[in-house]
Amino acid sequence: ASWLSSHSMLPVKAIGCRNPQAIIIGVRKGGTRALLEMLNLHPDVVAATSEVHFFDQDENYDKGLAWYRSQMPPSLPGQVTVEKTPGYFSSLKAPERVHAMNSSVHLFLIVRDPVERLVSDYTQVLHNRQERDKPYQRLENILLRGGQLNTQYKAIQRSLYAVHLARWLRFFPLGQIHVVDGGNLIRDPLPELRRAERFLGLPPRITSANFYFNQTKGFYCLRGEGGLQKCLDESKGRPHPAVEGTILERLCTFFSRPNEDFFSMVGKTFNWC
Ligand code: A3P
């Protein structure tokens, strides 16, 4: 949020780059950018603009915490610094490393129907390959190997939320991991933001005036300070390729058990396929 305009009379000394007190750990394609941008509407929140990949990439982790802090935006005492790197959620090393930085950090996990997430994940890779004139396969061809579901496919693995969450729960109690419903954030962002504010211990400052539905984009866009309007960029909310109904059914069947595991882990159910 706008730390400069609203606090311009404070001594420069008070402004510094701090370790984040909140991290959006994933899930990739769950709506992590939307959540970060929307949290950033709060005057007491400052957000790192790009994904830092500190805890999941050794070459960054080896640079140390001073480097990590230097990647954060300046903030004032009392403001909450947030970063998002969706790669943390499925990283083997991230939970322990995050815990070593700050065992009481606030963690956000935004999840979405695992099948939709998978298709979104595939769509992103497809788009990147098409842009670079690289060969690509239809999703159906990647998903099926000799008529069987290729469960080793990365996008399937990344949708196994219970598997990844279990690793985080070895280091953090569930109460420290706030689960956001990515489907709700698309349909009606404000209630999810209210809960997020509460989780961060912040006064409710994000309001319905901060959102407007953009018919062209087909998503909610943001209205910030001074009425400045902003939609997420075109890589967010891309049309997905059509996927054969039989494949979708197989995916839904495959995910039904892991989804149940996830629901009992977080004590909440989601309206997924
Ligand atoms: P799709 O592009 O598949 O629709 P992430 O930021 O984690 O990569 O997630 C991207 C997803 O955020 C998008 O996936 C989109 O569905 C979702 N999203 C949620 N709220 C959005 C918003 N207001 N504008 C655009 N995309 C949004």
Side-chain angles (χ1 to χ4, degrees):
S2 55
W3 55 274
L4 246 185
S5 54
S6 48
H7 301 278
S8 52
M9 297 312 286
L10 272 154
V12 176
K13 248 194 333 203
I15 300 169
C17 299
R18 297 172 169 84
N19 288 339
Q21 295 91 355
I23 304 178
I24 301 172
I25 58 173
V27 53
R28 178 177 147 120
K29 306 317 291 175
T32 54
R33 173 61 59 185
L35 179 60
L36 184 81
E37 299 285 338
M38 289 173 182
L39 281 173
N40 199 32
L41 290 165
H42 197 291
D44 301 337
V45 170
V46 291
T49 38
S50 49
E51 293 177 10
V52 186
H53 286 285
F54 180 63
F55 299 106
D56 62 334
Q57 292 186 358
D58 290 346
E59 62 272 28
N60 288 335
Y61 193 68
D62 292 345
K63 293 176 191 163
L65 272 175
W67 177 84
Y68 184 48
R69 263 192 301 279
S70 75
Q71 304 304 300
M72 297 301 141
S75 61
L76 292 160
Q79 286 187 313
V80 177
T81 301
V82 188
E83 79 119 329
K84 78 111 176 166
T85 301
Y88 293 161
F89 184 50
S90 54
S91 152
L92 299 182
K93 293 178 179 171
E96 186 170 11
R97 288 174 170 180
V98 172
H99 187 265
M101 174 197 65
N102 178 359
S103 61
S104 53
V105 69
H106 291 72
L107 302 174
F108 283 98
L109 172 65
I110 177 163
V111 287
R112 180 179 180 192
D113 184 320
V115 177
E116 269 172 36
R117 196 218 67 79
L118 181 156
V119 177
S120 173
D121 199 331
Y122 165 78
T123 307
Q124 172 162 308
V125 175
L126 174 75
H127 177 87
N128 293 344
R129 294 189 76 86
Q130 283 173 331
E131 279 223 312
R132 291 185 202 120
D133 282 328
K134 284 188 163 177
Y136 56 89
Q137 285 185 288
R138 290 180 66 220
L139 179 60
E140 284 80 352
N141 295 342
I142 300 174
L143 278 174
L144 293 181
R145 290 272 182 272
Q148 297 298 310
L149 207 55
N150 172 17
T151 56
Q152 292 313 303
Y153 175 42
K154 271 192 179 163
I156 287 197
Q157 289 289 321
R158 282 194 284 259
S159 279
L160 294 172
Y161 304 151
V163 171
H164 306 297
L165 182 62
R167 274 196 314 274
W168 287 87
L169 290 175
R170 279 193 225 132
F171 293 91
F172 296 96
L174 184 62
Q176 220 172 306
I177 306 174
H178 182 70
V179 180
V180 176
D181 184 330
N184 281 350
L185 196 81
I186 293 175
R187 286 183 292 272
D188 185 16
L190 188 59
E192 285 299 335
L193 270 299
R194 270 280 169 283
R195 281 188 277 274
E197 287 173 324
R198 223 175 294 137
F199 173 64
L200 291 175
L202 295 175
R205 295 289 296 276
I206 302 170
T207 70
S208 57
N210 286 121
F211 304 104
Y212 67 98
F213 192 79
N214 182 307
Q215 294 291 348
T216 318
K217 185 153 177 80
F219 282 86
Y220 277 94
C221 296
L222 286 63
R223 195 180 287 116
E225 215 176 321
L228 203 71
Q229 299 192 351
K230 177 183 167 186
C231 294
L232 299 198
D233 80 28
E234 59 197 20
S235 69
K236 308 295 176 185
R238 286 194 191 107
H240 296 171
V243 181
E244 283 170 30
T246 51
I247 300 278
L248 292 177
E249 273 167 36
R250 280 178 86 153
L251 286 170
C252 285
T253 308
F254 171 78
F255 279 113
S256 81
R257 187 63 197 275
N259 287 352
E260 290 298 330
D261 292 344
F262 179 72
F263 299 162
S264 49
M265 250 176 190
V266 298
K268 187 177 164 183
T269 55
F270 293 81
N271 197 12
W272 295 339
C273 70

